[in-house]
Every structure is written in C-alpha cells, then in structure tokens.
C-alpha cells in the first residue's frame, strides 16, 4: 500500500495543489477503515501486505497501522531509530483493542484526538 497516492486518490485531493492539499489527510476515518479492510482481506487470503509512504513512518500512525495488523513496512534510513524505539515501547494486543474503537470515529479530528489520548 502506497499511502501517499492512496490518500490522494481516495480523498480526491492533490497533495501538491495548495487549494485542496489540506483535504489530503491520511488520518481520514474512511481511509483508515479502507486500509484495515485491505489488511484483513490479505490475511484471510494469506497474502502479505506491506506499506510505504510518509504515513507509515509517522510516529502516531505506525501504532495504528500495527494495531490493524500491518506487519511489513518500508521506511527511510533516517527514520529507523525513531520507528524502532516506538516499536519497542508498544504492546500489540493493546493496539488491536484500541483500533476497534478508533475505527468507529467519524471525523479526522476525532481520530487525531483519540490517537493523542492513546499515545
């Protein structure tokens, strides 16, 4: 999953266009639910899913993605230490429990507020 392009396509907003780039928010609830559906469908069919893009190295997004069941990521070299530290500090079963509640949120702000409370 390439989150940069996926976000643009799903939200019909070009992140490079200053007139609509503010709409291109990867924490959009519909986008998060879609990512979860892809991960679940892949697991059901024994297909691996990996993710790349800015979102996967976002320190607040990665716990959400791992809680959804994502197991493979592609990040830049400069982000390895930050991501490794985050991975060592989280418990996966707690993330999974919180994801169900997170995916019930209906606005970007509700999602971000919930994530800030969790982490």
């Amino acid at each position: 999953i390439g989150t940069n392009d996926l976000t643009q396509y799903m939200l019909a907003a070009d992140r490079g266009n200053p007139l609509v780039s503010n709409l291109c928010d990867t924490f959009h609830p519909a986008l998060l639910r879609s990512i979860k559906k892809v991960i679940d469908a892949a697991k059901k069919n024994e297909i691996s899913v990996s993710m790349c893009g800015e979102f996967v190295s976002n320190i607040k997004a990665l716990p959400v993605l791992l809680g959804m069941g994502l197991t493979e990521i592609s990040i830049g070299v400069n982000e390895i230490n930050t991501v490794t530290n985050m991975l060592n500090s989280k418990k996966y079963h707690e993330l999974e429990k919180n994801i169900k509640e997170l995916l019930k949120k209906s606005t970007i702000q509700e999602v971000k507020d919930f994530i800030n409370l969790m982490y």
Side-chain angles (χ1 to χ4, degrees):
I1 300 172
T3 57
N4 296 340
D5 289 340
L6 178 64
T7 303
Q8 287 188 133
Y9 300 147
M10 279 201 64
L11 302 178
D14 179 2
R15 63 190 165 119
N17 182 336
L19 298 175
V20 293
S21 62
N22 64 314
L23 302 173
C24 207
D25 193 321
T26 318
F27 286 99
H28 192 288
L31 184 66
L32 293 177
R33 286 190 287 271
S34 295
I35 291 171
K36 176 68 170 143
K37 286 180 181 183
V38 168
I39 292 169
D40 289 348
K43 280 186 175 182
K44 181 179 178 184
N45 291 287
E46 299 179 11
I47 299 169
S48 65
V49 175
S50 61
M51 184 175 284
C52 63
E54 294 171 23
F55 192 56
V56 76
S57 59
N58 180 314
I59 204 68
K60 291 193 176 192
L62 188 56
V64 171
L65 297 167
L66 295 173
M68 289 182 186
L70 185 69
T71 57
E72 296 179 32
I73 63 173
S74 175
I75 58 172
V77 166
N78 295 336
E79 298 149 341
I80 291 175
N81 286 339
T82 303
V83 169
T84 301
N85 290 337
M86 191 284 308
L87 288 171
N88 290 332
S89 69
K90 301 296 176 192
K91 296 178 183 175
Y92 295 108
H93 67 277
E94 290 177 14
L95 294 170
E96 290 173 344
K97 178 180 68 176
N98 291 323
I99 290 308
K100 292 176 184 174
E101 188 64 31
L102 175 70
L103 294 176
K104 294 177 186 175
K105 304 302 178 195
S106 58
T107 68
I108 294 168
Q109 192 57 53
E110 287 177 356
V111 167
K112 289 181 177 181
D113 289 346
F114 188 81
I115 290 171
N116 286 334
L117 287 175
M118 282 189 344
Y119 310 107

